[in-house]
Amino acid sequence: MRGDTPIMVSFYDGTNPTPFYVATANIYRADLTAAGIGNGAHGFSFATPASIKVGGPHVIHARFAGSTGELASSPRAIPPQLPSADSVTPASGSGDRPTFVLKYTDLNGIENMGVAFMLNTSVWIYGGCYVSYSNNQLTVYKDDPQQWSAPVTLGSSQTQASNQCTIYGTGASATVSGNTLTLTVPLVLNPGWTGPLKGNYHVPHERR
């Protein structure tokens, strides 16, 4: 690698014997020149393949093409891609009948996604309107006793209530587009809890 001839670098995912990408290391890097490594044109760059962005963790090996020799700093682990909370409308709620529209992305597939959503003045589940979504159903966390309610199927006439809010199947929906989930959650805030403007906190997660 100390010469001026570019080398080929093969990249492997874990123990898979077939490289998922082969790069020509011919990009100039000033730090390589400063280190006395040939003409410095031994860098490489490529977009991360979709297969490496999902699942995981992935252990990536960079090797001189046609050999088992690892490059410096190889292998490296890429942690699992976690679901992301993209947006929520409105950003906060007041009044007694807010409807929230929440969007999430999971590159591992929406079928593995669950959502926990809370309306409160602080990040504290007790005393707040705490709602969970999974498998086309909503539940609400009850303060007394401290447990999740029975499930409410989206689009049904079912209801469940905590001391703070009531969830309804009517008007609730989940729409999937590719790896994006759009969740519509209509709520009725119980009398005595409408009070001041309340912030919302939501966390997507993968079901195991």
Side-chain angles (χ1 to χ4, degrees):
M1 187 160 175
R2 292 185 178 276
D4 293 341
T5 301
I7 66 166
M8 304 297 290
V9 181
S10 298
F11 296 88
Y12 299 83
D13 183 7
T15 59
N16 190 329
T18 302
F20 65 82
Y21 192 83
V22 178
T24 301
N26 59 0
I27 299 175
Y28 176 75
R29 285 174 42 183
D31 62 316
L32 296 181
T33 299
I37 301 177
N39 60 6
H42 297 296
F44 52 82
S45 176
F46 62 91
T48 304
S51 61
I52 304 301
K53 293 181 179 180
V54 300
H58 296 272
V59 178
I60 305 303
H61 297 264
R63 298 172 181 153
F64 298 101
S67 78
T68 58
E70 302 266 353
L71 271 63
S73 301
S74 174
R76 288 192 176 184
I78 298 178
Q81 180 74 32
L82 299 177
S84 64
D86 301 333
S87 66
V88 57
T89 305
S92 56
S94 62
D96 63 348
R97 292 178 179 269
T99 294
F100 290 92
V101 178
L102 309 100
K103 290 188 177 182
Y104 305 92
T105 297
D106 188 354
L107 296 178
N108 293 312
I110 295 302
E111 66 276 5
N112 296 319
M113 177 178 282
V115 170
F117 168 78
M118 181 174 64
L119 187 65
N120 206 356
T121 54
S122 64
V123 187
W124 185 245
I125 65 173
Y126 303 112
C129 176
Y130 189 28
V131 179
S132 175
Y133 164 80
S134 182
N135 291 324
N136 205 45
Q137 294 179 324
L138 298 171
T139 54
V140 63
Y141 195 79
K142 296 174 176 286
D143 288 342
D144 186 19
Q146 293 179 352
Q147 63 185 25
W148 289 102
S149 71
V152 171
T153 301
L154 304 186
S156 73
S157 59
Q158 299 167 330
T159 68
Q160 286 290 331
S162 68
N163 291 340
Q164 292 75 34
C165 63
T166 301
I167 56 175
Y168 289 81
T170 301
S173 65
T175 303
V176 174
S177 177
N179 289 320
T180 298
L181 168 70
T182 300
L183 183 63
T184 300
V185 182
L187 299 174
V188 172
L189 305 186
N190 296 343
W193 197 73
T194 54
L197 194 69
K198 295 175 171 64
N200 64 72
Y201 309 89
H202 53 139
V203 178
H205 59 87
E206 289 189 350
R207 301 189 301 273
R208 299 299 182 188

